[in-house]
Amino acid sequence: MTRRRVLLLTLAPPWPRDGTAIYYSPDAYSSDRVAFLAPGAGAPDRPFFARISGEDDVIIERNVSVWPLGRSASQRAGTITLLNGDRALDHLLGVIGKDWRFDVRWCWDDEAADPTHTWAACTRWQSGLIDNVSTDGDNRRIIIALADPLAYLDVPLQKTLYPDNAPNAAARGNPMPVTLGTARFAGGVLRDTDELGADKWIYDMHDDRVLGVTAAYDKGDIFVANTDWKYPADRRGIQLQAKPDRPVTATLAGQYLPGAQTMHTDFVTDPWPGGAPTGWVLWAGSKVAAGWRMNAAGAGALAETTAISLLPSRSYRVRVVCSAATSGTVFVTPIIAYNHIDAVAISAPGTYDAIIPATTGNRTVRFRSAAACDVTIASVTIEEIHDTARLPRFVQAVLNRVPGGASADTAAIDALDTAAPFLLGTYQASPITALTLLRQALTGWCGWVTSKRDGSLTVGRLRKRGGAVGSVRLGRGQVITVRRSNDTAPGLATRLAGLRNHTVHSDSDIATSLDDALRAELQAEYTIKTGVGSMPGAYAHAVGADPQPTLLQDADQLQTAASYVTDLFRQPLTWYEVDAAISAEVADGLEMGDWIHVTHPVAGLAAGKWLCLMGAAIRFRGRRATLTLLDIPE
């Protein structure tokens, strides 16, 4: 007896824009009767309604591209039609629509008849967002068009806009800038144009705390840290001590992500054995109701932590809560560098953040006073943090900005980072979507961003096979037709651009004291590197093409990336469009970038070849699939 597949669909409301959790019982539909229930998210489970039309097939189409190939990176999950002849689904009309979430799965008919079978055990066909909903036949059929699974990433990267009453009128309604990884010569957004106000000469570089500013400039002339500039209280950029000549720029490491290592000391509630809180060496001060009173008669070190070792090559955030301040100033510093630019001065109640950057040696945290002081500390939290300059954390930082959260294929991202551990950086003061930025980032790897069947983001890279093999082999029994074409790589360039200068200076924008090397750097938007090696005639256009912009931030790595591209295309690539009959189990296991072995009497495939999967159209009810494959010579 032949087993039949039963199609299952659940629909759920969009995630709130602020990402807060919602609880719902999903609308659940099927192409046949189902005995088990569809799970609710914190709400009661509910039955499936056999309403999916069997007349129309459901087709998933995927096509990935990297910039040299010039093809569209499109994905779509087809349409599903719900039957509404009895008008029982009229309640959906005007309610369900764009950006509702869907999950399409399937099970065998005998599994559908089993009450103990579960939704989780069903094979996922595709998850994502709805593109649109339409009707025909006087609302007798409700047609749900399933969007690109990565549509949830097509949202603004910037989460925060300047309010309508922002002191700088020009900034009102515009997004606060975002800095990921390392950005060079970022101009920032002037927070307040009032030269007499409390927020005068603050330049926002990121919409939250930055990891650290390594240099600040005025007309290219470098500012002295702590003398010419300091961090504002919210640490979103820099605050100048005097009016600049302009343009003001900074080179900085932007957003950071929490790590695993944390130590929290509450000086109010934690025990003080031996006259000091656990893990601390108390050099001055005493316990009071409000915490640890640092009452020092003169300058000197007050205390340091020993409970946590600040390990080499790791960065930390120190968050200090001051409950009272009567006189003087206390500084929070790493013990190895009292005058580090991240030293935070505490002279009033409030919450203060200091960033302890990575160094070659172990560090501890110390409080010190430059003169007599009387300051009370309620608590100290030391938290390991990570920069966002490498691909895995760069991607995670972007996904953290997507409403409702987002999942990613961390194994694929880590593998790409291991193969090419490039440094990234970007400063975005104008609106940009999360998806656009991720695609820009992958350009440096000659790579792509796509989704898996579960809707999670994954990445891949155009590469030679290098001995890699797959599990799918197609021969005469499966291949129906083959179409072969030569690759033209219309976007190919042998030069890559990186280390972007986010504020390109004109002659009048540069101080006369600057040397020629820095002057040239300030007047160039990018550093340009040319790949090593010759190109075949088919790709002669690549030699004179404009450099391809990337987010790469290291000159040597930029050179490596440019030579990688040149080597990849040193022989012409070939495309194959293959129509084949494949089983549901094989079709459901295909992912972009897989290697598929094809044997066929024509198109040079008589001996068989391993080809890279770059696109596919998979049908749910039919076994026929159309595969777009690329032959990349070794």
Side-chain angles (χ1 to χ4, degrees):
M1 181 176 176
T2 303
R3 300 172 84 192
R4 293 181 297 104
R5 292 202 294 170
V6 177
L7 190 63
L8 309 170
L9 167 69
T10 61
L11 303 173
W15 283 108
R17 299 297 298 177
D18 61 3
T20 56
I22 58 175
Y23 303 98
Y24 60 89
S25 291
D27 291 298
Y29 304 95
S30 60
S31 61
D32 205 342
R33 291 186 178 182
V34 177
F36 56 88
L37 299 177
D45 297 347
R46 66 182 301 170
F48 287 88
F49 295 95
R51 293 279 179 168
I52 297 178
S53 171
E55 299 178 12
D56 306 308
D57 205 349
V58 183
I59 305 174
I60 291 179
E61 295 182 43
R62 299 181 182 183
N63 289 283
V64 300
S65 179
V66 293
W67 58 269
L69 303 179
R71 294 194 170 199
S72 63
S74 62
Q75 300 183 84
R76 60 186 298 271
T79 61
I80 293 180
T81 300
L82 302 181
L83 302 177
N84 189 35
D86 58 358
R87 313 306 292 270
L89 302 183
D90 280 359
H91 67 282
L92 291 180
L93 303 176
V95 176
I96 182 176
K98 185 177 178 63
D99 292 339
W100 272 56
R101 291 169 290 143
F102 73 85
D103 197 356
V104 179
R105 305 192 184 199
W106 66 268
C107 64
W108 297 108
D109 54 358
D110 57 326
E111 295 170 334
D114 181 1
T116 65
H117 197 68
T118 65
W119 169 255
C122 297
T123 302
R124 178 177 271 112
W125 178 250
Q126 187 66 71
S127 298
L129 301 179
I130 290 176
D131 187 33
N132 63 74
V133 177
S134 60
T135 63
D136 67 4
D138 193 24
N139 295 339
R140 305 292 177 171
R141 291 160 55 91
I142 301 174
I143 305 165
I144 301 172
L146 310 178
D148 179 341
L150 293 183
Y152 71 95
L153 288 172
D154 203 16
V155 297
L157 178 76
Q158 293 93 343
K159 298 188 298 183
T160 309
L161 301 180
Y162 282 101
D164 291 339
N165 62 348
N168 183 351
R172 294 171 184 171
N174 292 328
M176 289 187 180
V178 172
T179 304
L180 299 176
T182 300
R184 302 167 69 251
F185 304 112
V189 176
L190 187 60
R191 191 180 300 183
D192 190 350
T193 57
D194 182 1
E195 298 181 13
L196 301 178
D199 286 343
K200 65 179 180 180
W201 308 125
I202 292 179
Y203 288 83
D204 289 332
M205 306 290 180
H206 184 62
D207 62 7
D208 202 343
R209 290 170 173 80
V210 299
L211 179 60
V213 174
T214 56
Y217 308 86
D218 184 16
K219 300 188 75 172
D221 192 11
I222 194 162
F223 279 131
V224 178
N226 282 335
T227 299
D228 297 324
W229 70 273
K230 65 179 182 179
Y231 291 109
D234 54 23
R235 203 184 164 85
R236 290 206 304 246
I238 60 174
Q239 182 170 20
L240 308 185
Q241 302 301 297
K243 183 176 180 179
D245 294 325
R246 296 177 179 174
V248 172
T249 61
T251 295
L252 71 154
Q255 179 179 348
Y256 55 84
L257 299 175
Q261 191 181 37
T262 302
M263 183 195 77
H264 177 75
T265 301
D266 190 315
F267 293 111
V268 176
T269 61
D270 288 355
W272 284 48
T278 301
W280 289 80
V281 176
L282 189 64
W283 289 4
S286 60
K287 178 177 173 57
V288 296
W292 167 31
R293 183 183 181 189
M294 300 181 182
N295 189 7
L302 298 179
E304 64 178 352
T305 172
T306 56
I308 182 173
S309 178
L310 307 189
L311 300 175
S313 304
R314 298 187 187 182
S315 299
Y316 297 85
R317 182 186 70 179
V318 181
R319 174 160 289 182
V320 180
V321 178
C322 173
S323 52
T326 302
S327 63
T329 300
V330 168
F331 296 89
V332 185
T333 64
I335 191 172
I336 62 169
Y338 285 164
N339 295 318
H340 193 275
I341 60 174
D342 280 335
V344 173
I346 302 175
S347 57
T351 299
Y352 299 82
D353 279 356
I355 302 295
I356 310 293
T359 66
T360 57
N362 288 351
R363 293 141 295 162
T364 55
V365 172
R366 175 172 291 182
F367 291 87
R368 70 178 182 89
S369 62
C373 67
D374 189 353
V375 175
T376 303
I377 303 300
S379 66
V380 175
T381 301
I382 303 174
E383 179 183 26
E384 181 187 352
I385 57 175
H386 301 300
D387 65 42
T388 55
R390 291 271 291 274
L391 185 64
R393 290 169 184 155
F394 186 96
V395 172
Q396 187 59 56
V398 173
L399 296 186
N400 287 351
R401 294 173 168 270
V402 176
S407 58
D409 181 0
T410 56
I413 298 170
D414 288 344
L416 186 51
D417 179 71
T418 300
F422 295 159
L423 297 177
L424 294 166
T426 186
Y427 169 79
Q428 298 289 340
S430 300
I432 189 173
T433 71
L435 182 57
T436 298
L437 183 62
L438 289 175
R439 285 174 172 162
Q440 289 180 4
L442 266 295
T443 295
W445 280 263
C446 207
W448 63 75
V449 175
T450 186
S451 73
K452 302 183 73 173
R453 290 293 182 91
D454 61 2
S456 63
L457 176 144
T458 190
V459 300
R461 188 187 199 191
L462 199 63
R463 61 188 176 91
K464 299 177 181 179
R465 187 169 67 88
V469 298
S471 60
V472 178
R473 290 177 176 267
L474 303 178
R476 296 187 180 186
Q478 294 85 32
V479 176
I480 301 171
T481 61
V482 174
R483 294 172 295 279
R484 182 181 185 276
S485 60
N486 295 327
D487 171 58
T488 59
L492 183 60
T494 58
R495 296 183 297 164
L496 294 187
L499 288 81
R500 183 180 177 185
N501 173 3
H502 291 277
T503 306
V504 178
H505 292 56
S506 63
D507 286 333
S508 61
D509 290 335
I510 302 175
T512 57
S513 59
L514 268 59
D515 60 35
D516 291 341
L518 182 54
R519 182 178 297 272
E521 190 175 2
L522 290 171
Q523 292 188 310
E525 184 176 7
Y526 287 100
T527 299
I528 310 297
K529 296 294 183 179
T530 302
V532 177
S534 59
M535 302 296 287
Y539 301 137
H541 60 278
V543 177
D546 291 337
Q548 177 64 32
T550 73
L551 304 187
L552 300 186
Q553 291 297 311
D554 180 273
D556 291 339
Q557 293 171 359
L558 185 66
Q559 180 64 67
T560 299
S563 295
Y564 179 88
V565 175
T566 304
D567 180 65
L568 197 65
F569 288 88
R570 63 185 174 83
Q571 298 183 64
L573 280 57
T574 305
W575 291 96
Y576 291 88
E577 297 288 335
V578 177
D579 286 329
I582 57 179
S583 67
E585 291 83 354
V586 171
D588 289 341
L590 294 179
E591 297 290 356
M592 296 300 103
D594 285 351
W595 293 97
I596 298 177
H597 193 271
V598 181
T599 305
H600 197 65
V602 301
L605 298 174
K609 280 187 177 182
W610 285 104
L611 306 173
C612 186
L613 181 64
M614 299 293 289
I618 308 294
R619 297 161 178 80
F620 178 76
R621 293 187 173 89
R623 290 186 59 197
R624 183 164 179 164
T626 301
L627 308 179
T628 302
L629 303 163
L630 185 60
D631 181 20
I632 308 173
E634 292 291 338

